[in-house]
Amino acid sequence: MNLKQLSEVLGLSQTTVSRALNGYPEVSEDTRARVQAAARKHGYRPNSRAKGLATGRSMVIGHVIPSSSRHEMVNPIFGDFVAGAAKKYAEHGYDMMFTNADDTSIEEAYRSLFQRGAVDGVVLQGPKVNEPRIEVLTRMGVPFIVHGRSTGVDAQYDWIDVNNKSSFMRATRFLIDLGHRRIALINGLEDMDFAQRRRDGYLEALGQAGLAPDADLMRSAEMTEVYGHHETQNMLRLDTPPTAILCSSMISAIGVRRALSENGLEMGTDVSVIAHDDDLSYLKNGQDVPIFTATRSSVRQAGEMAADMLIQRIKSPNDPVKTRLLEAELVVGRSTGPATNRVQP
């Protein structure tokens, strides 16, 4: 059904229907509710191209993927974030566009998108420490939001992030309270801001408990299942292996579990494991009782919130900077228990 047909069904002018659907204040609440109900009933969706012509906007949100981050496209965390964002884009009549750019031409890619009128705003994901993309977009004066934050960047910008430092402090303290003293960290790439914050939380919790950090128990790389498996195998060969392992990803935690099983060790009894980001659509952490004790934060919900914040920035570019810091929940599963002495296979 198009706008003309919806107008005829309602007995209203096309202008009134359009204004009701687009939130214009001069339309009464009764009329607005009636128009929205009819649009839902008849499956009406505004033509984004026509809406763009009327508003002077492209009605498209851009996601620029640096060449060094192409792996993000197959990462379930990235996928859940995008799924949440896409839901909100659709509710507001926006489409989504992905494009790839070499790391050496990121600024050129952003300028091209905005100068061509291809997008109204962009989402920046996976910020690094001292992230240069934030400075570029701030200097351009265009609408954007960051999923995460960047240590070392002084500019004011919109962002949404989970409290990574607090989450890993809490998880490390939980293991310490269970009697663990040899606690390993299998982290992400530590030039990424989230990984640095998680490492800081882990180290601060150790320090508060009077435990000296051990470089042999701290690993950093791209968070894959193979990485979790490989690093766990290596640490189990140490003269004093860890009795607990804190993972920055559910994906690498699955690799940890495989390595423990291959060495005749039971997760939660012989070696405790805590994972982060367990609330993923296609990688569920068990059913009624979680497999992994985990720091839980919905990436899909973060995507929805980020999309809402960016669309508000597009509509009101001069509003004050908005930020959201989400707290992760510590969910206790079957993968943690009191420290034991049986860590040798």
Side-chain angles (χ1 to χ4, degrees):
M1 176 174 283
N2 58 32
L3 181 64
K4 182 174 183 293
Q5 292 167 327
L6 182 62
S7 301
E8 290 171 352
V9 167
L10 288 161
L12 298 170
S13 71
Q14 293 184 46
T15 300
T16 299
V17 172
S18 177
R19 287 178 176 272
L21 291 171
N22 287 291
Y24 282 82
E26 61 266 29
V27 179
S28 71
E29 284 304 316
D30 286 346
T31 300
R32 191 187 323 281
R34 181 180 161 219
V35 170
Q36 289 174 343
R40 287 192 297 270
K41 178 182 177 181
H42 296 284
Y44 171 77
R45 285 283 306 275
N47 183 301
S48 59
R49 184 177 295 275
K51 188 174 179 181
L53 289 172
T55 61
R57 296 177 183 151
S58 67
M59 304 307 297
V60 176
I61 303 294
H63 292 248
V64 179
I65 311 301
S67 57
S68 61
S69 301
R70 285 177 186 165
H71 62 275
E72 288 185 359
M73 296 296 288
V74 293
N75 187 318
I77 297 170
F78 177 85
D80 257 28
F81 179 88
V82 167
K87 176 177 179 289
K88 286 296 176 181
Y89 296 157
E91 289 176 6
H92 291 276
Y94 276 85
D95 292 319
M96 177 170 46
M97 180 181 72
F98 292 103
T99 187
N100 181 259
D102 290 335
D103 292 80
T104 56
S105 61
I106 291 294
E107 180 167 359
E108 180 183 335
Y110 283 133
R111 289 196 179 281
S112 175
L113 285 174
F114 283 101
Q115 287 173 354
R116 289 188 288 112
V119 299
D120 295 326
V122 294
V123 177
L124 192 158
Q125 291 174 259
K128 297 183 178 182
V129 176
N130 296 309
E131 176 57 64
R133 290 176 291 169
I134 295 174
E135 191 276 331
V136 168
L137 289 166
T138 301
R139 179 159 31 89
M140 289 172 61
V142 295
F144 74 98
I145 190 166
V146 181
H147 180 210
R149 290 172 286 170
S150 180
T151 303
V153 173
D154 294 327
Q156 297 294 304
Y157 55 92
D158 295 341
W159 55 260
I160 184 167
D161 196 13
V162 67
N163 194 338
N164 287 293
K165 182 176 180 179
S166 173
S167 298
F168 274 60
M169 283 182 65
R170 186 179 181 192
T172 306
R173 286 172 182 161
F174 179 79
L175 293 169
I176 292 169
D177 289 343
L178 287 172
H180 295 280
R181 296 298 179 265
R182 296 282 291 170
I183 302 170
L185 174 65
I186 294 183
N187 204 5
L189 292 163
E190 289 182 354
D191 63 338
M192 305 296 289
D193 192 83
F194 76 85
Q196 183 176 99
R197 292 179 188 272
R198 292 176 187 179
R199 184 175 184 269
D200 288 347
Y202 160 82
L203 290 174
E204 188 162 328
L206 291 180
Q208 290 173 352
L211 300 175
D214 184 342
D216 287 339
L217 299 182
M218 292 184 284
R219 310 297 170 100
S220 170
E222 188 176 338
M223 299 182 295
T224 64
E225 191 274 347
V226 172
Y227 159 60
H229 175 266
H230 180 266
E231 296 304 329
T232 302
Q233 291 280 25
N234 285 342
M235 287 191 287
L236 289 175
R237 297 188 188 103
L238 295 172
D239 291 338
T240 310
T243 64
I245 301 172
L246 180 55
C247 298
S248 261
S249 166
M250 265 285 288
I251 301 167
S252 51
I254 292 170
V256 171
R257 181 174 64 173
R258 179 163 67 95
L260 295 177
S261 177
E262 290 173 356
N263 283 274
L265 298 171
E266 185 177 347
M267 186 174 71
T269 301
D270 300 314
V271 178
S272 289
V273 180
I274 296 183
H276 183 68
D277 277 339
D278 80 319
D279 191 8
L280 298 172
S281 300
Y282 297 99
L283 194 62
K284 289 297 183 184
N285 185 11
Q287 298 298 320
D288 296 334
V289 180
I291 297 168
F292 290 98
T293 295
T295 51
R296 174 174 296 174
S297 178
S298 172
V299 181
R300 183 176 289 248
Q301 184 184 43
E304 292 186 26
M305 291 179 178
D308 264 335
M309 291 169 69
L310 178 56
I311 290 167
Q312 289 305 311
R313 172 61 58 199
I314 292 168
K315 291 179 177 178
S316 305
N318 297 318
D319 277 1
V321 166
K322 296 180 176 65
T323 63
R324 292 287 300 271
L325 184 61
L326 309 175
E327 295 294 339
E329 175 188 9
L330 181 64
V331 180
V332 179
R334 301 194 298 269
S335 67
T336 49
T340 68
N341 292 323
R342 185 178 181 263
V343 291
Q344 297 290 352

